[in-house]
């Protein structure tokens, strides 16, 4: 009948019309949070920045890009370098890969040096780069502390000879002297390294630190006689 036809048409029409309200109800997607950005479905500059930013807001200052570790300086203590944290990364045997961390990089380099996948041991290099105030100097200290702890584990297995300070302790305690002559206050950083450094640490076959050597280059010599307004000469002069 005409009435039935009208009902059928109305039914079809209702199935095709949009809702009367203006905004569609959509479920918000959670913010991206990838520990290793290699596994991101789409990798672009803006997405990488967003991922690092989202993690930083959760106090996750480390993010991996394969073997590269991205680090953001939180300018506050987050309890990331305690003895407990060191033990977690040192003795972690879980199947799942531990979260990105400076200690994870140090452990990987240390193990690759002592227990390489090839028959010939390979020297390892860790390159630390970033802008002024990014935390390069502090990262270097933390790497040295990790290797010193590893060396102490090996050293404890031998009888102490009672001699003066260990080599690893000497390397660590040399940092303040280097910073005195090579660091200065800038507009962006109160303790900015104004030179490049290459630190070689030599280990025994068992993994104990035997000696260390440091090469400095690109020292900002002009700072001795001239500093921009608001900046200072090298720390040693104060």
């Amino acid at each position: 009948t005409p009435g039935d036809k009208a009902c059928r048409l109305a039914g079809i029409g209702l199935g095709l019309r949009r809702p009367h309200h203006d905004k569609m109800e959509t479920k918000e997607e959670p913010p991206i949070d990838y520990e290793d950005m290699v596994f991101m479905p789409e990798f672009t500059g803006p997405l990488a920045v967003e991922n690092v930013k989202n993690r930083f807001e959760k106090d996750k200052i480390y993010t991996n890009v394969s073997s590269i570790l991205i680090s953001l300086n939180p300018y506050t203590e987050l309890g990331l370098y305690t003895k407990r944290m060191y033990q977690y990364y040192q003795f972690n045997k879980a199947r799942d890969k531990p979260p990105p961390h400076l200690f994870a990089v140090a452990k990987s380099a240390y193990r690759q040096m002592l227990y390489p996948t090839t028959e010939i041991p390979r020297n390892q290099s860790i390159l630390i780069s970033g802008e002024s105030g990014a935390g390069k100097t502090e990262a270097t200290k933390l790497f040295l502390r990790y290797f010193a702890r590893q060396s102490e584990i090996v050293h404890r297995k031998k009888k102490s000879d009672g001699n003066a300070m260990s080599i690893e302790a000497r390397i660590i305690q040399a940092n303040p002297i280097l910073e005195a002559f090579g660091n200065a206050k800038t507009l962006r950083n109160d303790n900015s390294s104004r030179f490049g450094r290459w630190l070689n640490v030599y280990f025994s076959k068992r993994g104990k630190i035997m000696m260390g050597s440091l090469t400095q280059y690109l020292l900002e010599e002009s700072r001795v006689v001239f500093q921009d307004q608001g900046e200072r000469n090298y720390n040693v002069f104060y």
Side-chain angles (χ1 to χ4, degrees), residues 26 101 140 144 216 231:
T26 57
H101 196 284
T140 302
L144 286 175
Q216 65 84 17
E231 298 193 354

Side-chain angles (χ1 to χ4, degrees), residues 19-196:
H20 293 292
H21 51 272
D22 296 329
K23 295 183 179 180
M24 297 285 291
E25 295 182 1
T26 57
K27 186 177 181 181
E28 293 185 3
E29 296 184 1
I32 57 175
D33 184 350
Y34 286 88
E35 291 184 345
D36 192 337
M37 291 195 286
V38 167
F39 299 103
M40 292 176 63
E42 181 182 1
F43 187 85
T44 63
L47 285 177
V49 172
E50 181 183 353
N51 184 69
V52 173
K53 176 178 177 292
N54 292 340
R55 290 178 57 78
F56 181 78
E57 291 174 348
K58 301 176 184 177
D59 290 338
K60 300 176 182 179
I61 65 172
Y62 292 119
T63 305
N64 279 335
V65 184
S66 187
S67 60
I68 299 173
L69 180 68
I70 298 175
S71 172
L72 298 184
N73 192 344
Y75 291 97
T76 187
E77 178 60 49
L78 298 177
L80 296 176
Y81 315 108
T82 61
K83 183 177 180 181
R84 182 178 180 181
M85 189 66 70
Y86 163 80
Q87 292 175 341
Y88 170 75
Y89 280 89
Q90 173 58 24
F91 304 109
N92 178 65
K93 296 182 179 180
R95 292 183 178 180
D96 296 334
K97 186 178 179 180
H101 196 284
L102 183 146
F103 287 164
V105 176
K107 177 182 178 180
S108 176
Y110 190 80
R111 291 185 63 84
Q112 286 295 323
M113 176 187 66
L114 291 180
Y115 314 109
T117 54
T118 61
E119 295 181 359
I120 303 175
R122 293 185 177 181
N123 296 331
Q124 300 294 308
S125 297
I126 300 174
L127 178 63
I128 305 173
S129 64
E131 294 185 347
S132 178
K136 300 183 295 296
T137 301
E138 292 302 314
T140 302
K141 295 177 184 177
L142 290 167
F143 275 117
L144 286 175
R145 288 178 189 173
Y146 180 91
F147 295 135
R149 285 181 177 177
Q150 290 295 102
S151 185
E152 287 175 1
I153 293 175
V154 176
H155 186 65
R156 287 172 186 165
K157 295 179 181 179
K158 294 184 178 182
K159 293 182 179 180
S160 176
D161 54 10
N163 287 338
M165 188 185 311
S166 63
I167 295 175
E168 53 267 24
R170 296 178 194 177
I171 295 174
I172 292 175
Q173 293 197 9
N175 267 314
I177 301 175
L178 294 171
E179 292 180 11
F181 287 93
N183 289 27
K185 178 182 178 181
T186 65
L187 296 177
R188 301 182 61 182
N189 185 1
D190 288 345
N191 191 38
S192 176
S193 298
R194 310 314 299 166
F195 68 104

Side-chain angles (χ1 to χ4, degrees), residues 167-168 171 199-204 208-213:
I167 295 175
E168 53 267 24
I171 295 174
L199 176 62
N200 281 320
V201 182
Y202 299 88
F203 296 84
S204 68
K208 185 181 184 302
I209 295 178
M210 302 303 296
M211 65 173 291
S213 65

